[in-house]
Amino acid sequence: MDSIVINGGVPLRGEIYIAGAKNACLALMPAAILTSEPLTLSNVPNLTDIITMSQLLSTLGLKVEHNPQTSEVNLQGKKITCYKADYDIVRKMRASFLVLGPLVARTGQAEVSLPGGCAIGARAVDLHLMALEKLGAQLELSNGYVKAQAPRGLKGSVINFPVRSVGATENTIMAASLATGETAINNAACEPEIGDLIDCLVAMGAKIEGKNTGSIRIQGQTSIGGTRHQAIHDRIELGTYCLAAAITRGEVTLKGCKQGLNEAFLNKAKQMGMHIESEPNQLNIKCNADRINPLTISTEPYPGFPTDLQAQMMAVLSLANGTSEIDERIFENRFMHVPELNRMGADIQITGSKATIRGVRKLIGAQVMATDLRASVALVLAGLAAHGTTTIRRVYHLDRGYEKLEQKLAACGANIKREQL
Ligand code: EPZ
């Protein structure tokens, strides 16, 4: 298993190119199931999750060509030859569950393993299943799988989500695109990745209105076609490197990011003492404050502060000039980075969903363990600022969501390398 070794204390200086959005592509790829025509996706990051999704779609009968050099993925499902998503794949990557809606919509049947929990929480799928039943699918849960049947096709319906769910919204939009009649989705999630999926589906011939609002209306089509679509940039990677500049008191230019970052994150970054200047397709980030200001943050569905940047922000706030509070309101166990940050000298206490972070003057390098994707990168950020050497094990978590992480940081002067242990 690889490890990442960092000798901290170097302010980052230079340019970092932001890759395409993992969480957009993990919804865009299953959309290929909805058509027999080719779907070409560009700006697709070269990540293990993308490889896993490619493998899953291939087992269903799609032709999938992933070209990491050109960041393109060509997909075509002329005929779906298998309707089953195995436990072994789904347990590795929860986003595999996003084949359920498209499979039922295209073929009238699907058998998908329930994803089960993961390090950050139970990760229920009840909202996905509620929506599919409202669209007319007959569901049966047995042996850890959900079997869905819709022999006469899906029928449009009104779906009211009690809480906003990214995945359930995506599964429902894809399923409803081929249902008979109109579907209304109320309290839909509004993450930019969902907007990107809608843009792609509309280009394929789907009739979808209400993008970026909580209310989506879909006129089902008997079939949709292929298209070429460029994925949006990864706003979580963007925010992560913003915070890497902050924790090292560096100055970096982040390129390839059209829409920048959401206001909730930008406001908190500026309150902390960062200088962020937006230009077309890039952000100029500077943080030369002697110490950063403490913050109070609650994670919320978009457009609130993203839960996927909570761990990274906590690493930065562990060195703030005062006490910060973070309330993790999306997932029930997304503080796995806390014990490891405390082993590096941070002073963080957890009470229920709330973390109290008392700023310390310095962090000390240590051997630490990665547990999930965003906790892992929070430890990288801490290592970039810590005195001495930090060794982060189980970096396969990082490879799921960050393309060329150590290369991008080393190009900005960080003393970071990957070691085979
Ligand atoms: C997506 O996960 C992202 N993953 C996550 O990013 C992200 O943290 C999350 O949205 C929230 O923004 C992908 O897009 C592949 P949810 P998803 O359904 O769809 C509960 C990363 O680091 N819920 O919006 O699984 C759920 O338990 C990953 O890139 C139900 O109760 O998230 C959670 O508490 C981690 N029942 C809340 O809703 C359901 O049926 C939000 O989950 C579905 C969800």
Side-chain angles (χ1 to χ4, degrees), residues 22-23 94 123-127 165-167 308 330 374:
K22 164 179 84 84
N23 290 349
R94 172 185 169 79
R123 308 298 294 277
V125 288
D126 56 315
L127 301 178
S165 159
V166 173
D308 291 350
I330 304 293
R374 308 303 176 182

Side-chain angles (χ1 to χ4, degrees), residues 85-368:
D86 265 346
Y87 172 66
D88 281 346
I89 286 198
V90 180
R91 73 178 174 81
K92 262 196 309 189
M93 185 183 67
R94 172 185 169 79
S96 311
F97 206 69
L98 291 174
V99 305
L100 179 64
L103 268 180
V104 179
R106 170 87 185 271
T107 70
Q109 59 180 315
E111 185 176 352
V112 178
S113 168
L114 294 167
C118 71
I120 64 176
R123 308 298 294 277
V125 288
D126 56 315
L127 301 178
H128 299 242
L129 303 182
M130 175 273 283
L132 275 177
E133 279 193 315
K134 291 284 282 181
L135 291 172
Q138 287 98 43
L139 304 183
E140 179 206 332
L141 299 186
S142 65
N143 310 323
Y145 281 77
V146 58
K147 293 180 184 167
Q149 301 276 350
R152 287 182 298 286
L154 297 173
K155 295 203 177 12
S157 179
V158 177
I159 291 150
N160 300 311
F161 282 125
V163 295
R164 290 195 167 186
S165 159
V166 173
T169 300
E170 291 168 337
N171 242 333
T172 307
I173 290 172
M174 289 192 277
S177 295
L178 296 184
T180 305
E182 176 172 287
T183 295
I185 306 174
N186 299 316
N187 202 23
C190 308
E191 273 66 8
E193 294 74 28
I194 298 174
D196 202 31
L197 173 64
I198 289 172
D199 286 345
C200 181
L201 290 169
V202 166
M204 293 165 75
K207 299 279 181 271
I208 305 171
E209 292 170 353
K211 183 177 94 165
N212 298 336
T213 73
S215 300
I216 294 176
R217 297 288 177 273
I218 301 163
Q219 297 299 334
Q221 306 299 301
T222 46
S223 68
I224 59 176
T227 192
R228 292 186 62 86
H229 178 79
Q230 178 179 314
I232 55 172
H233 73 276
D234 194 315
R235 62 191 168 94
I236 304 303
E237 187 193 22
L238 178 62
T240 301
Y241 287 117
C242 255
L243 294 170
I247 203 167
T248 59
R249 303 294 182 276
E251 189 167 344
V252 299
T253 296
L254 303 176
K255 300 183 86 72
C257 43
K258 286 192 177 64
Q259 306 91 319
L261 285 155
N262 67 321
E263 285 312 305
F265 176 84
L266 281 174
N267 292 339
K268 292 297 181 185
K270 289 171 182 171
Q271 278 173 40
M272 202 162 60
M274 294 182 67
H275 301 283
I276 300 180
E277 184 193 56
S278 297
E279 288 184 28
N281 283 338
Q282 74 179 47
L283 284 185
N284 305 317
I285 313 288
K286 193 159 52 174
C287 185
N288 44 25
D290 174 41
R291 290 194 77 190
I292 51 157
N293 305 317
L295 296 175
T296 298
I297 292 173
S298 295
T299 62
E300 307 283 350
Y302 197 88
F305 188 94
T307 175
D308 291 350
L309 286 171
Q310 177 259 106
Q312 300 91 312
M313 180 60 92
M314 189 183 290
V316 181
L317 292 172
S318 66
L319 290 165
N321 183 21
T323 299
S324 302
E325 298 280 340
I326 296 184
D327 187 0
E328 172 54 61
R329 294 186 174 169
I330 304 293
F331 291 110
E332 63 270 32
N333 186 32
R334 203 168 197 178
F335 288 139
M336 308 286 276
H337 42 288
V338 170
E340 299 302 286
L341 288 172
N342 284 341
R343 291 183 56 242
M344 296 177 72
D347 179 358
I348 307 168
Q349 263 75 43
I350 305 291
T351 311
S353 69
K354 289 188 174 64
T356 301
I357 305 111
R358 289 180 188 77
V360 295
R361 295 293 295 187
K362 67 178 180 180
L363 295 175
I364 312 295
Q367 295 223 12
V368 289

Side-chain angles (χ1 to χ4, degrees), residues 390-401:
T390 299
T391 302
I392 301 159
R393 297 172 182 281
R394 296 189 182 174
V395 290
Y396 58 84
H397 291 294
L398 278 172
D399 296 335
R400 294 190 55 178

